[in-house]
Amino acid sequence: MGHVSKRLYSSASKLAVSTSQLKQFPPKEAILRPDSGKPNFFDPESWATLQPPPTSALTAFAHRIGLANVLSSADVVRRACTHKSFVNLHAKYYPSSPAPPTNANLAMLGNALMGLFASEHLHAAYPHLPTRVLKAAVSAHVGPLTCASVAQEMGAVPLLRWHRQPTTPMSPALLHSDALASIPRAITALVYQEMSLQSARKFVQSFFLSRQVDLRSMIKFRDPKRALIETVEKFGHERPKSRLLKETGRYSNSPVFVVGIFSGQDKLGEGFGSSLKMAEYRAAEDSLHRLYLTRTPDHLLQVPSSTFPSKQGNIYKTGLEAPYTPGVLGEAEILYASSGRSNIVAPKRPTLEEIEAKREGLDV
Amino acid sequence: MATKQILRAQLRSYPANGHSAYLPQVRKIVLEYCQKLPSSTNTRTFISNDLQRVAWQNPHVEFVVKQRNGHEPIARGFYVNGRDKVIPLQEFEVNGVEKKVQLLLDSSGAKIKQLKKGRLVESTTEAARGIWSGLHVDTPFKI
């Protein structure tokens, strides 16, 4: 098969419509009557894009993600897989029929819920993680690219109904990944609406928070030695001192030095390098990694949203809350090269005396 | 020393299917047969007798039965990674047809990879026991 025919075949198979679910095939608008004076404006590709996915595909999707009890009808799943950009396309070709329900509201709610669950889980799991890294980790776990990837892995790509929108002066272009990302968010919101907050959290935990994320690559250092000195001072320990632990080949073309950083008797971290400076830098980085990436074990992990009741009922009645012991708040992170822009200097605001002096000067 | 900026919208996580939730990889199976040709007889028997039981046992898969006269019987599986697998069914008995449908149900849709010859094994996670270091042993090697 040549590449042109291969591409035609793949695009045709993506648009393939199951004819068993249609009332009439070929559709009325496709049939050309030569005796009537009406011109034929039928475009098969547009027609195929407008057809809803078959009920069997939607119920199979619900079973595949394990939510057959929650997403009870195919209409609910169809709504979750319809992006708001589809409404304009539908209105253009079927102006008299009602607009199909979209996942816009559900996606908004689901996005907020996912952000909540991811933030509290990551904060409870990594209590010493710097703020910027925590925000980046939340994006990595429940951000747009991850949601699009999860939708693809669920098999929602042939079920998605959307319409590509180019860049306009008022809004950026709508991408396929953004439309896909709305599907898992809508499903999270549906789980919350049909079941409870706890069930929604379990859903997000199993599909998003147990995926592989490399946190180490998100932690960037400008001067790890200075950051380590300030952090150790904040925790009230002795000033860190670096010591050469092992070395080999000092005067050869490939030396190896192993440097350890100690605070009194405790070794904070260890690093290797082909020069003393490099080894000391790596040791400081290692010490800070060991602090920032401290992880709470899963059996000790408790999140604030676990206090919400799992049953649906009156939230003002006492006795429905689950027990919760809040984690001990650790030391806040140091201000050097962490949250806040330490480079940028804000313009100095004039003091009250200076303002009054100016006013008096003007009066005089 | 300036550090490279992290663009938050470009960050993503990588799949770990089965660590907590398992997503089956097959989404649709299409069985094509001919009404008249004798090569489709076993496939037609399978469709009328056993297909419903297989479909009930696999609610996560969409089963489609397609009549295609004048062509050989085929089982086509569509997977979540966008690929499809096609198996011709003309030489099999009824239980052979079921075995091939089960093969499609068990597959992941990925391309068949070499297991031994010239294959590089690369892991996404770090070594569980750590990489050996000659400087971190009790008695280092002496020439």
Side-chain angles (χ1 to χ4, degrees):
Chain A
M1 244 198 202
H3 71 281
V4 172
S5 41
K6 243 191 209 172
R7 216 168 74 175
L8 280 169
Y9 182 75
S10 63
S11 52
S13 63
K14 274 179 207 160
L15 290 172
V17 177
S18 80
T19 53
S20 59
Q21 307 247 339
L22 295 171
K23 284 181 198 164
Q24 184 194 2
F25 187 78
K28 276 187 210 164
E29 47 262 34
I31 298 166
L32 181 69
R33 292 212 179 93
D35 42 321
S36 73
K38 288 180 200 167
N40 185 26
F41 288 119
F42 182 73
D43 177 30
E45 275 182 27
S46 316
W47 177 83
T49 327
L50 286 162
Q51 300 315 303
T55 321
S56 50
L58 298 164
T59 44
F61 174 73
H63 279 275
R64 207 175 316 122
I65 56 179
L67 295 178
N69 298 329
V70 177
L71 309 171
S72 42
S73 78
D75 288 323
V76 170
V77 188
R78 201 173 285 130
R79 182 190 170 190
C81 296
T82 306
H83 191 255
K84 62 184 179 193
S85 58
F86 184 71
V87 171
N88 286 341
L89 180 71
H90 188 264
K92 187 176 157 192
Y93 285 91
Y94 303 114
S96 50
S97 50
T102 68
N103 67 7
N105 288 342
L106 290 172
M108 188 78 82
L109 172 60
N111 188 33
L113 283 169
M114 281 160 70
L116 163 71
F117 296 139
S119 323
E120 64 176 7
H121 177 262
L122 286 171
H123 183 73
Y126 299 100
H128 297 291
L129 206 61
T131 312
R132 262 212 307 243
V133 182
L134 178 65
K135 284 159 82 172
V138 168
S139 290
H141 278 100
V142 292
L145 283 186
T146 302
C147 287
S149 175
V150 168
Q152 262 182 327
E153 286 156 37
M154 283 175 174
V157 172
L159 307 175
L160 172 71
R161 290 197 292 171
W162 73 304
H163 184 52
R164 192 180 292 272
Q165 278 164 0
T167 322
T168 62
M170 301 302 285
S171 58
L174 177 68
L175 302 172
H176 185 59
S177 65
D178 292 328
L180 267 180
S182 65
I183 297 180
R185 291 173 182 153
I187 292 170
T188 312
L190 281 168
V191 174
Y192 169 65
Q193 282 179 349
E194 298 294 320
M195 310 280 277
S196 66
L197 193 83
Q198 310 301 337
S199 308
R201 186 158 53 87
K202 262 190 228 169
F203 174 76
V204 172
Q205 182 80 36
S206 55
F207 280 93
F208 289 90
L209 299 176
S210 53
R211 285 165 70 93
Q212 275 186 344
V213 172
D214 184 21
L215 285 180
R216 204 173 279 257
S217 59
M218 292 182 203
I219 300 173
K220 306 271 185 190
F221 296 106
R222 276 169 70 203
D223 189 352
K225 279 166 66 180
R226 187 171 150 193
L228 180 65
I229 291 166
E230 292 190 13
T231 311
V232 168
E233 199 184 314
K234 192 147 199 179
F235 276 89
H237 295 314
E238 284 183 45
R239 194 186 157 82
K241 184 163 168 52
S242 49
R243 295 194 169 98
L244 180 64
L245 300 173
K246 293 261 172 71
E247 61 162 312
T248 171
R250 186 184 276 254
Y251 298 109
S252 71
N253 78 336
S254 47
V256 177
F257 298 100
V258 178
V259 168
I261 290 191
F262 293 81
S263 169
Q265 290 294 317
D266 314 312
K267 186 161 96 170
L268 299 172
E270 192 182 282
F272 69 97
S274 52
S275 69
L276 286 163
K277 245 194 205 176
M278 188 178 173
E280 196 184 7
Y281 187 97
R282 280 216 181 104
E285 275 189 335
D286 181 47
S287 319
L288 288 169
H289 276 136
R290 279 171 196 276
L291 170 65
Y292 294 155
L293 297 172
T294 318
R295 204 201 148 116
T296 323
D298 287 330
H299 65 277
L300 295 174
L301 198 68
Q302 274 202 312
V303 287
S305 73
S306 62
T307 55
F308 280 85
S310 52
K311 295 176 228 173
Q312 301 215 356
N314 191 352
I315 56 168
Y316 298 107
K317 267 192 194 163
T318 51
L320 280 178
E321 281 187 11
Y324 169 71
T325 43
V328 177
L329 282 176
E331 287 292 334
E333 61 190 298
I334 50 160
L335 284 177
Y336 172 76
S338 62
S339 61
R341 294 160 180 266
S342 42
N343 271 348
I344 297 166
V345 179
K348 194 172 160 227
R349 299 184 83 197
T351 60
L352 202 61
E353 286 106 17
E354 282 171 16
I355 296 168
E356 283 182 4
K358 250 192 189 173
R359 251 192 240 146
E360 276 167 26
L362 281 170
D363 285 343
V364 166
Chain B
M1 180 173 98
T3 53
K4 205 174 170 188
Q5 205 184 9
I6 298 172
L7 298 165
R8 274 177 65 187
Q10 287 180 5
L11 290 172
R12 53 166 301 182
S13 59
Y14 294 92
N17 199 12
H19 281 205
S20 51
Y22 175 66
L23 280 168
Q25 298 293 296
V26 58
R27 61 174 182 86
K28 179 158 90 169
I29 289 184
V30 178
L31 287 161
E32 292 174 19
Y33 70 98
C34 172
Q35 194 57 48
K36 279 193 184 160
L37 289 177
S39 53
S40 291
T41 316
N42 291 329
T43 312
R44 272 181 270 127
T45 316
F46 171 77
I47 289 169
S48 31
N49 297 350
D50 303 310
L51 181 61
Q52 192 176 22
R53 172 183 47 84
V54 175
W56 272 104
Q57 284 168 355
N58 297 281
H60 57 278
V61 185
E62 190 191 352
F63 282 88
V64 178
V65 172
K66 196 166 157 182
Q67 182 171 345
R68 212 166 163 231
N69 290 340
H71 289 86
E72 297 298 325
I74 256 170
R76 197 187 293 263
F78 292 89
Y79 297 90
V80 139
N81 60 0
R83 293 186 74 246
D84 65 337
K85 276 170 91 98
V86 182
I87 302 179
L89 302 171
Q90 61 254 44
E91 63 251 20
F92 297 118
E93 297 296 322
V94 179
N95 58 359
V97 172
E98 178 158 357
K99 274 189 195 166
K100 289 301 172 189
V101 169
Q102 198 57 46
L103 194 156
L104 287 175
L105 286 167
D106 295 335
S107 171
S108 74
K111 268 190 173 177
I112 294 171
K113 281 178 252 190
Q114 281 276 4
L115 283 177
K116 284 192 175 178
K117 190 185 166 189
R119 182 167 165 253
L120 276 174
V121 178
E122 218 178 290
S123 174
T124 48
T125 48
E126 358 174 283
R129 291 167 59 191
I131 311 290
W132 180 86
S133 160
L135 290 167
H136 292 88
V137 289
D138 295 331
T139 49
F141 181 74
K142 287 218 162 121
I143 301 169

